[in-house]
Structures are given as C-alpha cells and as structure tokens.
Amino acid sequence: MNTTTVNTGKFYGFRLPQLNSVWLSNAVRLVALPLAGILAFLLLWSVTAQKIDTSLGKFPGPSAVMEQFDALYSEHQRSREKEHAFYERQEVRNAKRVAEDPSYVPKIRDYTGKETFIDQIFTSLITVMSGFLLAVAIAIPLGIAVGLSKTLNSAVNPIVQIFKPVSPLAWLPLVTMVVSAVYTTPEPMVAKSFLNSMITVTLCCLWPMVINTAVGVAGIDNDLVNVSKVLRLPALRHVQKIVLPASVPMIFTGMRLSLGVAWMVLIAAEMLAQNPGLGKFVWDEFQNGSSDSLARIMAAVLVIGFIGFLLDRGMLALQKLVSWDNSAAQ
Amino acid sequence: MQWKKPFKKLAASLALAVGFSSGTVSVNAEDLGYPEKEELTFGFIKLTDMAPIAIAYEKGFFEDEGLYVTIEAQANWKVLLDGVIDGRLDGAHMLAGQPIAATMGFGTKADIITPFSMDLNGNGITVSNTIWEQMKPNIPKMEDGRPVHPIKADALKPVVEKYKADGKPFNMGMVFPVSTHNYELRYWLAAGGIHPGYYAPHKGDISGQIDADALLSVTPPPQMPATLEAGTIYGYCVGEPWNQQAVFKDIGVPVVTDYEIWKDNPEKVFGITKEFAEKYPNTTVRITRALIRAAMWLDENNNANRPEAVKILSQSNYVGADYDVIANSMTGTFEYEKGDKREVPDFNVFFRYNATYPYYSDAIWYLTQMRRWGQISEDKPDTWYKELASKVYRPDIYEAAAKSLIAEKLAKPEQFPDFATEDGFRDPQTHFIDGIVYNGQKPNEYIDKFSIGLKSGQKL
C-alpha cells in the first residue's frame, strides 16, 4: 500500500474524490471521522442494549440514558426550589425564636436536602482538584530534590518504588481510620469524607509526579548545568533559571499522568467509602434497584468519562502552553 | 447520669421493677427546652421501614422541633453502626439487635440506646425459584390450587436434606449477625426442624455455622436479590422491598413473612449513643417527638397516607426502588408467588399496637435468641436480661416525648400505653409459628422450651 495515501485521497483504503486539499482532509480527520465513530458506537450500543436482559429490565440504550439526563436535571431544579423554601422557613423560625428569646443569635443552617447529580459532579471535581494540587505541592519539590541529589535519590527511591504499585484503594481504609482518629474538631471546616477522598487521591497521584520530575531534573542537558556552573549561580537560582525550565516538559507529563490516575481513584474511593461525589451516586443507584437505575448509572459513566477527557485535555493544553519543547507534549 | 430533675415516682418504680437505676429525663412535658444540637445527620439502610425518618423530614416534623436533619443512606449495617459510634452520624435506623449487642459487647462494644422502636413486622423469607419448585410438592394446597399459608420450614426440610446428602452446602443469606432477620430466619428454620447453626464467640467462632444444616451468611439488604440470582445463596431473609423485588424480577418466591413467624414482632429501632442522649437531652426528646409524629402519620386513618409515603420512599435518596415494588407491601398486601397477592393489612405497622414504644420485653426477646444461638455463650439469670434490656431501651425518653405531644394536643393519651401503669413488658405473646408462648418476664424458661437451640446450663 502506498504510504502517502492520506494526502492523496486514499483514506484507510477508500478512495475519496477531491481530497487533495489539506483543509478538506483535516476536516474529515477532525470532524467527520470522530462523528462517524461516535455514531457507530451509538448504533452498536443501542443494538446490544436491546439484547441484554438484566433483572432490572433491559440494559439502557442511548435514548433511555438521554431521558435520565433530563430527569436528573429537572430533579436538580426541583431540589433548588426546595432549598429556597427551606431557607425561607428557617428565617421565619429564627424570627419567631428571637421574638421569644431575644438573647438568641439566629443562625442560618445549610440546606439539608440531598445532593443532586449536578452537585455531585462539582463535589467530585473539587475533591479531585484539591487532592491533585496537594500532591503537586508535595511531589514537585520532592522530585526536584531527588533529581538533583543522587544521595537523596538512593534514599527515597526504594520507598517510591514500593508505594507506587500499591492499589490506591488499599490506602482508603488506612486513610479513613487515621483521619477519624486525628481529625476530631467539634466544628470541622471540611467534612471527614472530603478529607478521606482527597488524601487517597493525593497518595495515589504523588508517585508518578515524583518519578517524572526526578527523571526530568536528573536528565538535564550537561551543557545547561555547565552554564550554571560557569555563571556560579547560587543553588536556588540554579533551580529557578536552569532546572525548572529544562524539566518542565517532564514535570507536566507526570502531572498529566497523575491527574488521570486521580480521577479514576476518586470515583472508586467514593464508591467504596460512600463519600459524596459521582462514585456515591453510582453506588446509590446500584443499591436502589429501580428500573431507572441502570440508565442513571450509565449517564454517570458517560459524565465521568467526559470529565476525565476534559481534565486530560486541560492538562495537555497547559503542558503545551508552558513547554518550549512541544514534541514532548503529545 | 446527668439528668437534672428525676422523673419522680414513675421512673423510680420502673427502675425498681427491672432491678436497676435507669437514667431519667430532665425535660418536663410542659417546658421542653430548645434543642442543644440543631444540625443532625441520621443514617439509614435502604429499606421501607426507615419510613419514619423520611416522613419526619419530608413532612417537616424535624423542622417543627427546630432540628435540621441530613439523612444519609449507608452501605451496610456495620458501616452504619460504626458511624453512630464514632459520631459521624448522630443517630440511625438500626436493627433492634444492634444497640443490644453493642451494649453487651458482642461485635463492637459501645453504649447505644433507643428511645423509639421504629415498626412491627416488615420482613420476609424468599427462596430461589429452583428451591421453590422443590418445596412446592410438600406444601398443602387450598381449593383454588394456591398454597396454604403460612408455609412452614417443614416443607423445606426434605430439600435441605437432599442437598446435605449430595454433599452440597445449603447457603442462605441474612443481613447481619445480630439482625432481626438472622433470628427470624433461624426461628423459622428451627421450627421446621432445620438446624441453622450455633455461634461460639468464646472460641472465636462468629460464623454461626456450628452443627448447621443451613449455612447462614451476611449479605447487605439491597444486594440480596442479586446474590440470589447469582446462585451464591438459595434463599434469604430481608426487609422490604427486597422480597417483592425478587417477585418482580422473577428470581425468587417469598414463602413466609415475619408476620406469620411471629405476629406483630418488633423490628428496627432508632439508635443513638448514650453519650448523645446525656449531652443533648432536649434534642433527644425532640427527635423522639418528630419520629412519633411521623409514625402516627404513617398509620393515620387506616393507612390512608401510605400511597404518599410510598411515593416519598421511592425517591432515589431514600429507598429508591420503583413505586410499584414498594407499594406492594406498604399498602396492606403482599405478593407471594407471582400473581398470588394476598391481604396482609399489618405487614408494616408503624404506630398502632404501641409499635413505637420501646418495650423491655422486645429487647429481652432478642437476648433470648442471642443466647439460644450461642452469641451469648454463658448462662445468665433472668435479672441479667432485664438489666441489659433497661440499659438499652429507654421508655423514659419516649414517655417525656409522648407526654409533651399530648400536652400540645398533637396526640391523644389513648394513643399511647398507660404510662402510669406500664411496666415495659408486653403480655405473654402467643402468635408464634411454632406455638411457643413468649413471656419476657421469664427469659430462661422461654429458652428452655425450644427443641433446637442452647438451653440453660449448656455451653458449646
């Protein structure tokens, strides 16, 4: 087969007329083919879904899932109305109590209704970003230190190697117990469940970042290091002017890997520990065993996948933005 | 105890009657103070008998008490109990056996009390279609060809024996080692001559399968139908809607309800830690008031509100199963084999027959079953049973709540037991499937009546 088929009008063996222009070829590659792929997937999905009979009814096809998206959204709106009424009732109640007991300082309590699907999405996003940023704050300085010092590297490496392959969820029980034991303020700033999810995420996305940063830092071009030596840069300036710019592509590769891991881990942790978020939503629906449950789970799966995709694209864009060596950012 | 004003004569006589000094409530009916803790989180398991909590929330009964309650579904009974013990949850819908076992130190040790019993009945025993086919020939038929109910485990016995002879274990599911379901399933099996196995915690055996003909293991309620379908278990005992779900999914047949095993048996309780009740006495009484009002609402006008309750329960944040599945048992009927729908008006009782009053005798029944199956390994005197029951069950708090509701004309005195004479013991109960009479005053005498089970003086 001719190796230049793509630009000469042959596309995966099909001869497409007038495909000489680069623009058209790009349009096909970027729009038409992905669309065709998605359509084929939807078709395959709805056909197979018809054939799978679960004890909760037919496996949900695309239309059932769309319906649930709709239902979830209107549920969200209803919940907002309820929330509004809740606050109004509270104000009336507070006013009445102040009238009875003037020393009472009225307090507005948070809405006690359930988190809607959309709330759960935001909860998950906030949790994953907090865990990830905490990991960044630990892993990058640590990775730089390890990359610069062979001694430190030898000391830290075994620990990293041992913890790296640990299944993220093995951390969860430990984290849960430790957080419960240590975090015992009467008026907590953040919920324990949030801390549990967040720390589990941090523990799991720490290692790829440490390793990538260390490798990046250790692999800096000798010429650059020599320049720094000639200029007699102090240690901090050396890191700032030479090490960081040179290792940025690797650092970002590590961050991108980590964020992917973080998102997967978070959903699993939420399912396992019933911490608020999309994972809990999936598990709750599984336990409900209603005839809509599977379609709702499928809706959540799509959202989880889509958010994961967006996070990855976001990191990629960031990586391209800060990296002078675009070839590394693919 | 930190209760400020002792509840006068009544509590004293109660305490005397059960032979220990109980805590009494500081709150008088007339001057019920504001709640000390207003923001509360309650846990529950996805079962229809959590209804009083959902109703108290949805109907605003909690808010009427100045309580802002968040209600959270829990993954299983163990997680729920741990949540209450470590304070993540302020209170929860619990298996009656849980506060009792925790106070006794079987499983987890913690002081948990209950001021409010949540309901009567509400469970069923379901077997897989295959087992049902094998049981069916052993069950007498009515004129119209439908099986005669209640079905006894006698019909299951030949099936279990066949499995045993073939060297296959006969696995069944229940929801927790100290669950009502465990004891009901055991009661039913044993009444039909099938040995459900002993526990021997003093030897470290907490699987409960010593000498067993049928091997019982733990499965969380919502997973029962799936586990039955997967073939891991051949039958199970669980609360609604997970029996009706099996009928709807066509994977199993409920053979008997707990109403038929023991008419009007006590079911779930509302559990809080003793520490919580002592630290927040007003809050405790107010929670109890809200729950009593919810239970009254659920049974009002001959169950007139049940359809609305079913609608609330079918919301995904509560039980979440389909309306039809929940309605099947909540509205006075129960569907056995598919299409065989029968009237069981008292399948779920939330208020009538003093369903919510925490009777010591109810707690003692659970203790007798714990002793019968070896969870309590040593012989105990009758006074021990009464003492433990009165540590856990707290009619004093219930009484304060009920009296304040009466004072505010939100309830009538005749809706409650006569508090002046009530001693916390129901009259001897006769409606058991094996005809044995239960008298809570004489637990040891009761334990000795069973042909299968540990008797006084026995130890494994």
Side-chain angles (χ1 to χ4, degrees), chain B residues 71-94:
Chain B
I71 303 172
E72 277 180 11
Q74 306 295 309
N76 58 53
W77 290 113
K78 172 88 176 93
V79 168
L80 175 139
L81 181 65
D82 289 346
V84 173
I85 293 171
D86 70 22
R88 182 172 55 81
L89 300 173
D90 295 299
H93 161 231
M94 279 188 188

Side-chain angles (χ1 to χ4, degrees), chain B residues 28-42:
Chain B
N28 270 324
E30 302 77 37
D31 49 66
L32 183 59
Y34 290 113
E36 301 88 348
K37 188 172 185 200
E38 297 167 329
E39 285 153 275
L40 303 166
T41 308
F42 294 156

Side-chain angles (χ1 to χ4, degrees), chain A residues 156-323:
Chain A
V156 173
N157 196 35
I159 298 174
V160 173
Q161 295 302 332
I162 287 172
F163 283 143
K164 188 175 68 113
V166 173
S167 161
L169 298 178
W171 288 111
L172 190 64
L174 293 175
V175 171
T176 312
M177 296 311 287
V178 171
V179 168
S180 297
V182 176
Y183 188 65
T184 50
T185 45
E187 290 283 314
M189 279 264 291
V190 290
K192 270 185 194 170
S193 55
F194 170 78
L195 274 189
N196 290 338
S197 305
M198 187 189 87
I199 295 173
T200 309
V201 165
T202 305
L203 280 174
C204 298
C205 55
L206 214 51
W207 318 117
M209 273 195 275
V210 171
I211 293 170
N212 271 283
T213 309
V215 170
V217 169
I220 298 174
D221 204 330
N222 259 338
D223 292 347
L224 289 173
V225 178
N226 287 336
V227 168
S228 168
K229 276 187 185 151
V230 170
L231 294 175
R232 298 184 183 202
L233 288 179
L236 258 178
R237 288 231 92 178
H238 171 67
V239 170
Q240 193 190 350
K241 291 283 170 195
I242 308 284
V243 174
L244 268 181
S247 51
V248 147
M250 279 299 274
I251 293 180
F252 270 81
T253 309
M255 283 168 73
R256 196 175 148 209
L257 273 174
S258 287
L259 190 58
V261 173
W263 184 241
M264 274 200 267
V265 166
L266 176 71
I267 302 298
E270 285 169 352
M271 280 181 77
L272 204 67
Q274 301 282 290
N275 293 339
L278 283 169
K280 181 174 165 62
F281 175 87
V282 169
W283 192 249
D284 279 352
E285 283 302 333
F286 174 57
Q287 299 233 317
N288 280 350
S290 124
S291 48
D292 294 334
S293 290
L294 291 182
R296 281 161 167 255
I297 292 174
M298 198 65 207
V301 164
L302 291 182
V303 168
I304 291 168
F306 191 66
I307 290 176
F309 168 75
L310 287 185
L311 290 176
D312 191 61
R313 289 289 120 167
M315 279 308 291
L316 184 65
L318 204 61
Q319 188 178 357
K320 279 186 172 159
L321 198 72
V322 297
S323 160

Side-chain angles (χ1 to χ4, degrees), chain A residues 9 13-14 16 24 30 35 49 60 63 130 132 136 150 240 252 283 287 301 306 313 319-320 323 325:
Chain A
F14 294 108
L16 302 171
L24 197 59
L30 292 176
L35 267 181
S63 59
S130 324
F132 175 70
V136 168
K150 286 224 162 65
Q240 193 190 350
F252 270 81
W283 192 249
Q287 299 233 317
V301 164
F306 191 66
R313 289 289 120 167
Q319 188 178 357
K320 279 186 172 159
S323 160
D325 179 14

Side-chain angles (χ1 to χ4, degrees), chain A residues 89 100 107 287-288 291, chain B residues 34 39 46 63 223 322:
Chain A
R89 285 200 304 275
E100 279 171 15
K107 182 182 169 198
Q287 299 233 317
N288 280 350
S291 48
Chain B
Y34 290 113
E39 285 153 275
K46 289 180 176 285
E63 285 187 32
Q223 267 114 277
D322 288 344

Side-chain angles (χ1 to χ4, degrees), chain B residues 221-260:
Chain B
Q223 267 114 277
M224 282 295 185
T227 316
L228 184 77
E229 202 181 1
T232 320
I233 51 176
Y234 305 132
Y236 57 72
C237 179
V238 75
E240 272 317 294
W242 310 115
N243 295 291
Q244 292 300 293
Q245 180 86 318
V247 180
F248 268 73
K249 290 165 103 181
D250 222 353
I251 57 173
V253 177
V255 286
V256 65
T257 64
D258 60 343
Y259 180 77
E260 295 154 330

